[in-house]
Amino acid sequence: MNSLTGRLLIVDDNEMNRDMLARRLERKGYVVGVAESAQQLLQRTKQDGTDIVLLDIEMPEISGLEALKMLREVYSLIELPIIMVTAKNQSEDIVKALDLGANDYVTKPIDFPVALARIATQLSHKRAQAAANAFAGSLRETFPKEESGRGKGTATRNDSKTAAPLK
């Protein structure tokens, strides 16, 4: 797997849409799982280590927007990027999904090169944040906080005779 690929979960109640998108993404090197409902989505995200969810809005029982709200109670935008993939293409639909926590929005019929670019962008953001978190963790291990109060905005100088006032 090259550095651009990741684990994707496609959630769509339409089997033909799910399978066609899954096959195309697998040909590009992604590891793809599928779910046909929001219930399956919630189970799979706990089990599978999904990098990105591609989520349809119009589904029976629990809508994609309701599933999005549930996921955002557990996962941040960086922890689990969610790209809405739907036929709803009105501005108010897009804004509503983004306001509820979607990372991005792709309309059907899917412009595959655009979808690939959006997936790659979300993976890049997720990996950059993971690298920043790892770096911050290593800094905390290397430079533990001092108990003396130094490093909390207090300035000191060793040679008080030549020291100019700090401004």
Side-chain angles (χ1 to χ4, degrees):
M1 190 168 14
N2 68 44
S3 64
L4 295 178
T5 61
R7 295 173 310 267
L8 311 179
L9 180 60
I10 299 169
V11 186
D12 195 322
D13 61 314
N14 183 304
E15 182 179 7
M16 188 169 60
N17 289 345
R18 242 186 359 251
D19 292 344
M20 182 175 58
L21 183 56
R23 281 193 309 274
R24 292 184 79 185
L25 290 167
E26 285 169 344
R27 279 190 227 124
K28 292 296 181 182
Y30 291 100
V31 175
V32 179
V34 295
E36 64 184 36
S37 67
Q39 293 92 339
Q40 286 183 359
L41 160 67
L42 299 171
Q43 293 169 351
R44 298 282 306 269
T45 53
K46 291 178 185 175
Q47 298 168 353
D48 295 353
T50 301
D51 289 316
I52 294 181
V53 172
L54 302 167
L55 179 60
D56 186 25
I57 289 179
E58 296 181 29
M59 293 190 297
E61 297 178 34
I62 299 174
S63 75
L65 293 177
E66 286 300 315
L68 173 63
K69 286 183 207 174
M70 290 180 214
L71 287 171
R72 285 297 171 240
E73 290 175 8
V74 179
Y75 302 99
S76 73
L77 283 101
I78 294 292
E79 290 172 316
L80 185 64
I82 300 170
I83 300 174
M84 306 309 290
V85 182
T86 183
K88 294 183 138 221
N89 61 3
Q90 298 298 310
S91 295
E92 56 271 10
D93 297 319
I94 297 168
V95 170
K96 183 175 183 180
L98 294 171
D99 284 346
L100 290 173
N103 294 71
D104 211 336
Y105 199 99
V106 177
T107 57
K108 296 176 185 175
I110 296 170
D111 183 337
F112 195 64
V114 170
L116 286 174
R118 292 175 189 242
I119 290 166
T121 297
Q122 293 305 319
L123 280 172
S124 176
H125 288 280
K126 182 175 181 166
R127 290 183 176 138
Q129 186 62 50
N133 290 345
F135 181 68
S138 69
L139 284 177
R140 282 190 293 276
E141 289 174 11
T142 305
F143 304 105
K145 289 186 178 181
E146 295 180 19
E147 299 294 325
S148 67
R150 290 184 61 193
K152 294 184 181 178
T154 56
T156 60
R157 295 235 176 148
N158 290 337
D159 186 353
S160 62
K161 293 178 185 170
T162 60
L166 297 176
K167 295 182 184 178

